[in-house]
Amino acid sequence: MGYYLYLRTDSWGGERGITVAFNGERTAVLVDPYPLWLDAVENVLAKNAVSVVGRTSNVERALALCEELRPGILVAEPASGGIACIREACTRVPGLKAIALASSDDPTQVQAAFAAGAVAYVVKTAQAFRPHVIDMF
């Protein structure tokens, strides 16, 4: 069973992927078709001690980043190929925690995200993450 969470923020973003040495820190890869959301989510995660090691608007690139960088968390937009991305990334990277970051709270999409392996479903119109929410991952 996953958690139903909410997030709202605003900022600008872009695409990048970097290789870093992980010393037990919490790390994430982000995939969203809108650069604005990439930066916004990175800012929220950084405030909660999660380092974003890769970000992209392309699902295939996100899968490559997950395989290369082995993050602990994947944040993906389900409506833009993110359901398949979550499913495939969870298969390729054992122990990966996937979070669906969505524009819609459609129950069919929520169920599909959890069925694909997401541990949380976040609607973009909600309040920012609180530290105790990030600590679940």
Side-chain angles (χ1 to χ4, degrees):
M1 184 68 182
Y3 299 94
Y4 190 72
L5 310 173
Y6 293 93
L7 171 68
R8 179 184 63 210
T9 187
D10 56 2
S11 194
W12 293 95
E15 179 177 338
R16 75 183 155 125
I18 56 173
T19 302
V20 297
F22 307 120
N23 295 317
E25 70 178 324
R26 294 184 296 175
T27 58
V29 165
L30 313 178
V31 58
D32 194 286
Y34 301 104
L36 172 71
W37 282 103
L38 293 172
D39 195 48
V41 174
E42 182 173 9
N43 288 335
V44 170
L45 293 175
K47 290 177 184 176
N48 290 281
V50 177
S51 298
V52 173
V53 295
R55 49 191 264 172
T56 182
S57 58
N58 179 282
V59 171
E60 291 302 318
R61 178 71 177 133
L63 289 171
L65 288 169
C66 285
E67 280 190 303
E68 176 188 346
L69 304 172
R70 302 297 221 204
I73 302 168
L74 168 67
V75 180
E77 165 61 71
S80 300
I83 297 291
C85 182
I86 289 169
R87 182 177 295 107
E88 188 63 26
C90 288
T91 300
R92 294 182 190 186
V93 182
L96 180 71
K97 305 291 188 202
I99 301 171
L101 176 62
S103 301
S104 169
D105 63 356
D106 173 57
T108 303
Q109 187 170 284
V110 173
Q111 291 173 344
F114 285 128
V119 297
Y121 191 93
V122 182
V123 179
K124 292 178 178 178
T125 58
Q127 298 299 313
F129 285 126
R130 302 293 183 241
H132 69 278
V133 172
I134 296 298
D135 288 339
M136 293 187 300
F137 306 104

